[in-house]
Amino acid sequence: MKLEEKWRVLIIICIGIFMSTVDGSILNIANPTIARELSVSMREIQWVVTAYMLVITTSLLFFGKLGDMLGSSKIYSYGFLIFTIGSLLCSLSPSLAYLVAARVIQAIGASMMMATGIGIVSNTFPPGERGKALGITGSIVGVGNMTGPSLGGILIANFKWPVIFLINVPIGILAFYLGMRYLPQQAKSLAQKKHDLGGLLLFALSTIILLLSFSGSHGVEWKLFSLGLLIMLLFYLYEKRISEAILDLELFKIKNFTHGNLMAFAAYSAQTSVFFLMPFFLENLLHYPPAFSGLIMTIPPVTMAITAPLAGALSDRIGNRRITPLSFLFMTSAYLLLSTLEQESGLLIIAGSLLLMGVGMGSFGSPNSSSILGSIPREKAGYAGGFMATVRNFSFSLGVAGSVSAFAYFLSLYQQKSSYIAAYAGAAHAVYRIAAIISILAFLLSLLEREPARSAKSPE
């Protein structure tokens, strides 16, 4: 493949990544305005986010598999089209129910893109440049997360809230055209001809129940949690028995694939506790204005945007075995520092903690993705990309829900003996210590010897 063609492919994939990350971060800023305009509570408006995340998490494996069967490029391009239609419907929503339904359509398109985009990049670039290319996609995630809050604030201040969805329409139409015209055909897997509807339903049901079990206001709903685990176990046993399974158990025999996804689950679920709790800490305990708190919270994505491409390029030269353990040391140090914050804590220690976390996350993502995708058969890149995106989204969802439940539990516990401020700080400390423990366990896993990546020829 000619040099300009592979970079063209990367640009098209990055448009989708940028659009989806900006859309999510803009919505966080716009939620209060949307709730006020639609006359609903903040608890109700959260379904705009929850429904979107649930649909993506439960459908990624399906679209990853479908991409391997029909061609990942086709699935990715039509994902753009469906996301764009969903965005248009969101902008026309007269009620919360209509908006949630439109977000479901939008999520289907986003899932199609997430499930196949990384696999397309992996197959398009030769092994010696794969880490660099994936690092650029990681950088785009950071840029999108940086752009969303500031862009959302400007748009909401000057226009009605539907504009945050309407801006996706012209970009999505252009990207759909570029994808259909320029994305190359991907290798297809001819081994599977049927869809595993039973497995898909079991996985979706278990995922939804597990997430809902963490959504209570007084901690984990243990009966729901146990039911979710039981259905997840039934899903695994069911997948072992059928030949056309949506869960590719053969890939789990590859250490890079299994270890890489376990580490991703740990990294992403732990980091969400910071992104969710820190703004409340900054405003409620330190009394910083929201605009200044938002500025502070741009430190991790800015750092990730700088670190991710550098780490990806470095992993191409020296491998990920040295980089990944170091990334978890950065993240663990950040969580331990955050677990010492008090009301009188200075801005320097907060900024330093967020900087360490940004470096850790930025140096983890692209080397780990390159290691996973470099160890599997090329024709399964679509499925692997979908599985990785499933792990990432499930980790984000479970991390937010879990940190909220843990914070609520410890806040209630500490308030029995301390003032509200002391209890609030103590509850935040407990959540960050849990994040540090998760990160340490992932660090230990990263020290295990892993298999070398598969050798592959550069794509033609």
Side-chain angles (χ1 to χ4, degrees):
M1 173 171 282
K2 295 179 181 179
L3 179 65
E4 60 271 17
E5 290 178 321
K6 66 184 178 185
W7 290 108
R8 186 186 297 159
V9 168
L10 182 62
I11 289 171
I12 295 171
I13 301 300
C14 284
I15 292 174
I17 294 172
F18 180 77
M19 193 164 72
S20 60
T21 52
V22 168
D23 185 79
S25 51
I26 279 182
L27 188 61
N28 290 332
I29 299 298
N31 270 334
T33 302
I34 298 174
R36 188 167 56 251
E37 293 284 334
L38 298 181
S39 301
V40 298
S41 68
M42 281 304 295
R43 187 169 185 177
E44 291 173 305
I45 204 68
Q46 288 305 310
W47 279 104
V48 177
V49 177
T50 302
Y52 183 81
M53 294 302 298
L54 284 176
V55 171
I56 290 176
T57 303
T58 56
S59 62
L60 281 167
L61 285 179
F62 170 76
F63 286 122
K65 205 79 160 179
L66 192 65
D68 288 338
M69 294 169 58
L70 303 180
S72 294
S73 295
K74 183 182 295 185
I75 298 298
Y76 186 88
S77 298
Y78 278 103
F80 258 128
L81 181 61
I82 294 173
F83 184 87
T84 303
I85 293 172
S87 298
L88 178 62
L89 293 175
C90 285
S91 72
L92 300 173
S93 299
S95 66
L96 177 64
Y98 190 105
L99 179 58
V100 171
R103 284 284 284 173
V104 168
I105 296 173
Q106 196 183 36
I108 292 172
S111 181
M112 293 169 71
M113 292 190 288
M114 289 181 187
T116 53
I118 296 300
I120 293 172
V121 172
S122 176
N123 281 348
T124 301
F125 281 78
E129 295 181 331
R130 186 185 297 120
K132 178 170 63 176
L134 293 173
I136 292 173
T137 66
S139 181
I140 294 298
V141 170
V143 172
N145 285 328
M146 285 187 293
T147 305
S150 55
L151 179 61
I154 293 171
L155 292 175
I156 292 297
N158 293 280
F159 303 96
K160 294 290 187 179
W161 66 263
V163 74
I164 68 171
F165 296 107
L166 205 55
I167 60 172
N168 291 331
V169 176
I171 300 173
I173 292 173
L174 174 62
F176 171 67
Y177 166 76
L178 294 175
M180 293 297 292
R181 178 166 182 177
Y182 294 113
L183 288 182
Q185 292 295 321
Q186 301 292 305
K188 298 180 182 180
S189 175
L190 303 177
Q192 182 165 334
K193 294 295 184 181
K194 299 178 181 178
H195 296 308
D196 177 16
L197 183 59
L200 180 65
L201 291 175
L202 283 172
F203 176 75
L205 184 61
S206 64
T207 301
I208 290 171
I209 291 176
L210 283 172
L211 291 178
L212 291 178
S213 72
F214 285 95
S215 299
S217 57
H218 301 290
V220 180
E221 297 287 344
W222 291 107
K223 291 182 179 179
L224 270 182
F225 182 75
S226 300
L227 179 61
L229 287 182
L230 177 61
I231 297 175
M232 186 68 78
L233 177 61
L234 292 176
F235 165 65
Y236 171 74
L237 296 175
Y238 175 82
E239 294 295 285
K240 288 183 67 176
R241 292 180 54 206
I242 64 172
S243 57
E244 306 292 346
I246 196 171
L247 190 64
D248 194 335
L249 296 175
E250 288 298 313
L251 288 181
F252 287 91
K253 297 177 182 178
I254 302 172
K255 285 185 179 180
N256 285 29
F257 182 85
T258 303
H259 290 181
N261 279 292
L262 285 173
M263 288 189 294
F265 177 81
Y268 297 131
S269 60
Q271 74 158 354
T272 50
S273 63
V274 177
F275 286 116
F276 181 81
L277 292 178
M278 183 53 63
F280 291 95
F281 189 94
L282 293 172
E283 294 179 31
N284 293 347
L285 261 67
L286 304 186
H287 305 296
Y288 290 147
F292 188 65
S293 298
L295 182 64
I296 294 172
M297 291 307 297
T298 62
I299 293 175
V302 168
T303 310
M304 289 171 65
I306 297 171
T307 308
L310 296 176
L314 188 62
S315 72
D316 289 333
R317 294 166 52 189
I318 67 173
N320 73 303
R321 296 179 185 178
R322 299 177 185 175
I323 300 175
T324 305
L326 189 61
S327 70
F328 280 111
L329 288 180
F330 280 120
M331 286 184 270
T332 303
S333 299
Y335 301 138
L336 290 175
L337 276 175
L338 290 170
S339 71
T340 67
L341 293 181
E342 300 291 348
Q343 191 176 23
E344 61 274 10
S345 295
L347 185 59
L348 186 60
I349 189 172
I350 296 172
S353 302
L354 295 177
L355 181 68
L356 282 173
M357 194 185 81
V359 171
M361 290 304 304
S363 58
F364 167 76
S366 47
N368 189 61
S369 297
S370 181
S371 172
I372 293 172
L373 292 167
S375 66
I376 64 168
R378 294 175 63 86
E379 66 273 9
K380 292 190 176 183
Y383 175 84
F387 188 88
M388 291 161 61
T390 300
V391 170
R392 183 171 60 250
N393 280 273
F394 184 62
S395 303
F396 286 153
S397 303
L398 201 60
V400 169
S403 62
V404 171
S405 293
F407 181 82
Y409 170 78
F410 286 109
L411 180 64
S412 176
L413 181 66
Y414 294 152
Q415 272 191 290
Q416 298 173 13
K417 301 178 181 179
S418 308
S419 66
Y420 176 78
I421 291 177
Y424 194 104
H429 294 169
V431 173
Y432 293 139
R433 289 190 190 109
I434 292 172
I437 292 171
I438 293 172
S439 186
I440 289 171
L441 292 175
F443 166 75
L444 295 175
L445 180 60
S446 72
L447 296 178
L448 296 178
E449 188 75 10
R450 293 198 276 169
E451 298 168 353
R454 60 164 160 82
S455 59
K457 297 179 179 179
S458 301
E460 298 294 335

